[in-house]
Structure formats: C-alpha cells, structure tokens
Amino acid sequence: MESLDLTDADAHKLISILKKTVSKNKYVLTEGSKGRIKITGKLDGIEHQFVLYYMYAIDNIHLNFADSSTGYTLVRINLDSSFHNNSDGKVRGHRVELFSETEFKAKHDTFTHYKAYPLPHNSFKDCDDFFTTLQQIFDYTNVKNHKSISFIENNILSI
C-alpha cells in the first residue's frame, strides 16, 4: 500500500503553523481568475511554506490551502455543482475537504488524501460568495492580519 508523507497529526501541526501566518501581497481577482498565494507560517521558531490556490468564476469557486513541501491539501472549499467521491459515497455540491489519513487508507487509490463534507460543516457555512468563503478559511485556520492579502477587482478594494 502506498503511504502518505503526512499523518493527521502532521496536518494538524501544519494548520497550527497557518494559524500564525501573515502575508503582505496584493492580488487582482476577476472572473476566471486562478492563481496561488505563497504563505509563510512560523511555529516555535520554525518556518514552513504553504500555498493557497484559488479559482474564481461564477458558480465555480475553489480555495485550497496546501502544504508546499508535500503538495497535500489541508483544507479545501469547493463552491460548485460537481461532486467528490469519498470512500463511503459521493458528496455533491458545495463542500469542504479536509486532510484525512483514514480516507487515504480507505480509498486505497494512492492519491486521495482528504475527505469531503457537505456544507455547512463544523464552522463552515454554505454560501456563494468568494470573500465570505475566504474569510471562513482564514477563520478556520486562525490566520491573523489577513487584511494584508488584498484582492482587487476593477480597482476597488474588495477586502
């Protein structure tokens, strides 16, 4: 059986690092925008790199916090009408996907390392708004001072 380079405990530790993260970059967000935001977190004096991949389109929004060194998804929110196949069945529509060592073993497909949950789930609410969803992911990961990450559309400050 293939193995993951992270355990659930490792993923939780990485999320803890995210909780102390600050970025000071400006980005432009328009219909069809996709890209990534490099994020450096620090915990107990040790720096770690993350990336927030984003895609923005009407009825198709994705935000994916990943660990830079492994590329594994830690927290992902999909606001679309498609589905994800969990080992115990499909989750359709708006969903949050969380790193799961258990799901990796259950799926046994060598790549699925997260489990999907329909929204709302835990602290994640269901909505259609990119910025509300971005705020939710920041709240979940406890990212502070995220106002320094700015998405600008038509020269209007959106955050």
Side-chain angles (χ1 to χ4, degrees), residues 1-145:
M1 175 199 254
E2 297 282 331
S3 65
L4 290 168
D5 294 331
L6 285 178
T7 64
D8 286 338
D10 294 332
H12 291 291
K13 183 176 181 181
L14 292 174
I15 290 169
S16 294
I17 294 170
L18 277 174
K19 292 179 179 184
K20 297 182 184 277
T21 298
V22 178
S23 177
K24 295 183 179 179
N25 299 308
K26 302 274 184 209
Y27 300 92
V28 175
L29 182 67
T30 58
E31 173 67 23
S33 286
K34 59 173 86 170
R36 65 181 184 222
I37 302 168
K38 293 179 182 179
I39 299 170
T40 300
K42 195 170 189 178
L43 182 65
D44 299 329
I46 299 170
E47 281 193 0
H48 196 85
Q49 300 298 313
F50 300 92
V51 63
L52 173 61
Y53 296 97
Y54 65 89
M55 185 181 80
Y56 171 77
I58 296 173
D59 299 326
N60 194 10
I61 295 170
H62 300 265
L63 293 166
N64 181 14
F65 253 123
D67 172 49
S68 288
S69 62
T70 63
Y72 292 146
T73 294
L74 300 172
V75 181
R76 177 182 172 117
I77 298 178
N78 289 354
L79 303 178
D80 59 28
S81 60
S82 67
F83 63 89
H84 174 80
N85 279 324
N86 283 335
S87 60
D88 58 358
K90 286 184 181 180
V91 175
R92 294 188 179 279
H94 293 187
R95 61 202 177 278
V96 61
E97 298 164 353
L98 302 172
F99 182 90
S100 173
E101 199 176 356
T102 303
E103 184 67 8
F104 176 78
K105 291 174 183 174
K107 286 273 301 231
H108 194 59
D109 64 4
T110 71
F111 61 90
T112 304
H113 56 275
Y114 46 82
K115 185 167 185 169
Y117 301 90
L119 291 176
H121 176 75
N122 287 343
S123 61
F124 296 102
K125 296 176 178 67
D126 193 2
C127 73
D128 291 316
D129 182 73
F130 180 90
F131 296 106
T132 300
T133 304
L134 182 64
Q135 181 64 52
Q136 287 184 74
I137 217 167
F138 285 149
D139 289 347
Y140 179 77
T141 57
N142 200 27
V143 172
K144 301 295 184 196
N145 301 323

